[in-house]
Structures are given as structure tokens and as C-alpha cells.
Amino acid sequence: MIKLYIGSSCSSSRRAKRWLITHDIPFIEQNLIRQPLTKNEFIHLLKLTNNGVTEMLSTHSISYKNLVHRIDELSLSELYIEIRTSPSLLKKPIIYDQPAKLLTGFSEDKIRMFLPKTKRKQELNELLLSGHLVDFKENNLCVPVISCFSNMLVNKNKPGKATTSPGNTALSNEIFTQKSIVLFNFKSVAFILYFTRWKRERK
């Protein structure tokens, strides 16, 4: 279950909460003002960061600016006491999912790591069929995408054996019979980037 740590008057926290609700992702909410992190929670989340303490702290807050000149001198216990005293030191929201997914702050791109794989695949299929393919003569952007679309149109029903459904076969024939490349409009560039990210997240 995802744990969402928020601030009382934090627009980024509201955006993260709205995003999770919109995507039907269950979560437990904890207000860091009313219920601060325990020391064990703080240390556990800190271990999951890529950049250490700076990833957890709100560097734009007044509390941080008052502390920055001596932050390197603080022990972990002393830093935790500072955070307990001034919750605004923490960057919010903090989104955590076991065993090791962590996001501090809000990012439209990074928060997608919390989408279930089935949901990411569904959104990709919807993008594929949403009308991004356009007429060859109206655009001048060429993208070689035969292989990636072919892979998307194949259903792997059995190990070592790939089959295509009649509907997918018809779509495949319609798209690929005459040309070896497909011309895309600029919106479709976003689709290609999304596809690349989706493939990476599947690994």
C-alpha cells in the first residue's frame, strides 16, 4: 500500500493526492504536521534516496535557509530533532511504496512509477489506438517505428509462441502494408517517449 506524506497547505501534496485518486490507486495519507515522521521512518526513507539528505529537505523553505550553514555538522539524530521541531524542513509530498519506491516532491513524470504495470500497459494501448497516426502527406516528421508497433500488436499467449488476434491483424495490415515508416505529428513524439519509458519500467 502506498503511503502519502503531505503538508497541510501544500499545493504539491494536493496535486499528488488528486493524481492518485484520479488513477484509482489506493493509498494511506499521513499529515506530517499533525503526525510527524518517527525516527525509524525518517531513517528508512533516507536510505531509499539517491542523493541523501538533500533529497528529503525543502531547500526553498525558510527553515532550511536558517539551517543550511550548519547542516553538515549535524548528526542524523540532531537532524531528525530539527525536522520534528520544524516540519517545513521536509520536502512534500513524500510518496513511498514498499519495498523501495520513493518520490519526494511532485513530478508528473516521476509519479508514474506508482502506476501498476497493468495500468501502464493499458494506457499505452489506449495511446496506440487514440488516433495519433496521421496522413503521410500532411507531416514531415519521419520515425521508424515498425518494430515497436509490431511488438505491441503481438499477444504472447504461450511461452515461445506469439499469435495475433484478428482485430490486431487487421490493424497491423492497415498501418503497415504500404510503407516501412510511419509519419507522425508532433503529439506522437510524446507517444514515442512514453513508449520508451514504458519499456524501461517493465524491466
Side-chain angles (χ1 to χ4, degrees):
M1 175 73 74
I2 289 175
K3 192 75 175 283
L4 175 65
Y5 300 93
I6 66 169
S8 296
S9 56
C10 173
S11 60
S12 294
S13 295
R14 291 194 294 270
R15 291 175 67 192
K17 183 177 179 179
R18 185 165 56 247
W19 188 92
L20 291 170
I21 293 172
T22 299
H23 289 82
D24 298 319
I25 299 175
F27 62 93
I28 298 172
E29 180 180 322
Q30 180 174 327
N31 189 306
L32 291 172
I33 306 300
R34 303 191 192 103
Q35 186 181 352
L37 291 175
T38 65
K39 186 175 181 179
N40 287 338
E41 284 178 320
F42 173 66
I43 292 174
H44 177 66
L45 294 176
L46 189 59
K47 289 178 180 178
L48 298 179
T49 62
N50 295 319
N51 301 313
V53 170
T54 55
E55 192 172 325
M56 294 283 293
L57 300 182
S58 176
T59 56
H60 299 295
S61 67
I62 295 175
S63 299
Y64 178 83
K65 292 175 181 177
N66 292 335
L67 185 68
V68 66
H69 64 283
R70 61 187 182 90
I71 195 168
D72 292 335
E73 302 171 1
L74 297 177
S75 67
L76 201 57
S77 295
E78 290 171 334
L79 178 60
Y80 173 70
I81 292 173
E82 292 288 347
I83 289 172
R84 287 278 301 194
T85 305
S86 303
S88 60
L89 267 173
L90 279 176
K91 185 183 291 185
K92 293 175 280 291
I94 299 172
I95 311 173
Y96 165 66
D97 191 17
Q98 295 180 341
K101 288 183 180 179
L102 178 70
L103 176 64
T104 58
F106 179 80
S107 166
E108 287 279 4
D109 290 330
K110 293 180 180 178
I111 198 173
R112 301 187 69 81
M113 73 170 74
F114 297 101
L115 278 174
K117 288 185 178 180
T118 53
K119 183 71 173 178
R120 293 200 298 266
K121 184 175 181 180
Q122 177 186 345
E123 288 193 358
L124 185 60
N125 288 336
E126 289 173 357
L127 273 175
L128 176 63
L129 300 174
S130 64
H132 285 302
L133 295 176
V134 295
D135 188 81
F136 285 88
K137 297 179 181 179
E138 295 179 356
N139 298 273
N140 57 7
L141 180 63
C142 299
V143 184
V145 292
I146 291 298
S147 60
C148 76
F149 272 97
S150 298
N151 290 336
M152 286 302 303
L153 294 172
V154 172
N155 295 320
K156 295 182 179 179
N157 296 327
K158 296 181 180 180
K161 183 178 181 180
T163 60
T164 56
S165 66
N168 283 343
T169 301
L171 176 61
S172 179
N173 290 338
E174 179 182 349
I175 296 173
F176 301 122
T177 48
Q178 297 182 354
K179 300 288 182 178
S180 61
I181 60 172
V182 179
L183 298 183
F184 280 74
N185 59 17
F186 286 103
K187 287 183 179 179
S188 296
V189 175
F191 166 75
I192 295 298
L193 295 175
Y194 181 94
F195 177 83
T196 303
R197 181 176 61 202
W198 178 81
K199 291 287 286 184
R200 183 171 61 250
E201 290 173 347
R202 286 185 63 194
K203 296 179 180 179

